[in-house]
Amino acid sequence: MKGRTPEGCILIGAPVQSGTNRLGCEMGPSAYRAAGLLEAIRDLGLPVEDAGAIAPMPFAGPPHPNRAIHHLAETAGWTLALTEAAFRHSAEARPIFLGGDHSLSAGTVAGMARRAEAEGRPLFLLWLDAHADLHTLDTTTSGNLHGVPLAYLTGRPGFEGYFPPLTAALDPARICMFGLRSVDPAERAALGSGGARVHDMRDIDENGVVAPLRDFLREVTAADGLLHVSLDVDFLDPGIAPGVGTTVPGGATFREAHLIMELLHDSGLVRSLDLVELNPFLDERGRTALLMTDLAASLLGRRILDRPTRSF
């Protein structure tokens, strides 16, 4: 018997900014609310609840010998809290996590992996990002922990005692990465040996998004898997989404991004969603928050003919 995807959604604020050294991401959840995300979901006829914001839990770990790392205990505390929130709220609804920097995915994906294990199903992850975020605590030179969640989630060594223990590590073969265009040498080595599907922007330029995404979604369907989508603002080209602290030119276009969301909706597979790295302090009159809100609405079923016209 195939597993079901809950119809309703629950918004969970995750004002995390311990994973970066630039202030502003903690304002992301408020920006999504101001951009009308809850109302957009309600207009689609879907049940939706706003659960407010969560806070990090206490986590006592030793200092790490890599002196570049900052806010390690705080990030681990966020990971613990988000793991619990993702597991709890995904029982009867589709959680949408309003970030906050991308370190939050260490918790949201870990919680969804726990949910998948509880349902006897595999977890798959669609990672929409300019970066691989595959650094370990030993390889990061910036010390910014928004660059480590995939290394932690796939069980790479070096996190023991510093981050919460994983209930179930994510199989790299169940990860599909779209939009990469800024990958460090240590991450490149990890990608080469890991087994994840990787579609960088050159691949997207040459082959488009439809065929590779449909291939991945067919695999999720065949395995009766749960699908978590993690959408980083920097997946998008900074010309259309300037409100992010890690701008990388050459990102996804407006139509490429919406097409991905529309295909995801058509699949009926998405169980949970991260919206991360929005920095309203760097945005232009809310245009990035509005675009990310529109993308979430497309994923949940808004059609092209329903899309509002806006003047900036």
Side-chain angles (χ1 to χ4, degrees), residues 30 47 52 54 57 70 87 89 96 98 119 142 145 151-152 174-175 177-178 190 202 209 214 233 273:
S30 295
I54 66 168
M57 298 172 68
H70 58 89
F87 178 72
H89 288 298
I96 300 175
L98 313 180
E119 296 185 8
S142 70
L145 296 179
Y152 165 70
R174 293 180 179 144
I175 299 173
M177 308 174 82
F178 267 79
R202 174 169 178 168
V209 299
R214 281 182 171 159
V233 171
L273 172 66

Side-chain angles (χ1 to χ4, degrees), residues 26-27 32 38 78 80 89 91 95-96 117 145 165 195 204 218 231 234 242 259 263-264 278 295 311:
E26 85 283 2
M27 299 186 291
Y32 287 120
L38 184 142
W78 276 113
L80 188 60
H89 288 298
I96 300 175
E117 184 177 59
L145 296 179
I204 291 173
R218 278 193 287 269
L231 173 60
D234 70 24
L259 180 56
L263 292 170
L264 288 170
L278 173 64
L295 290 172
S311 298

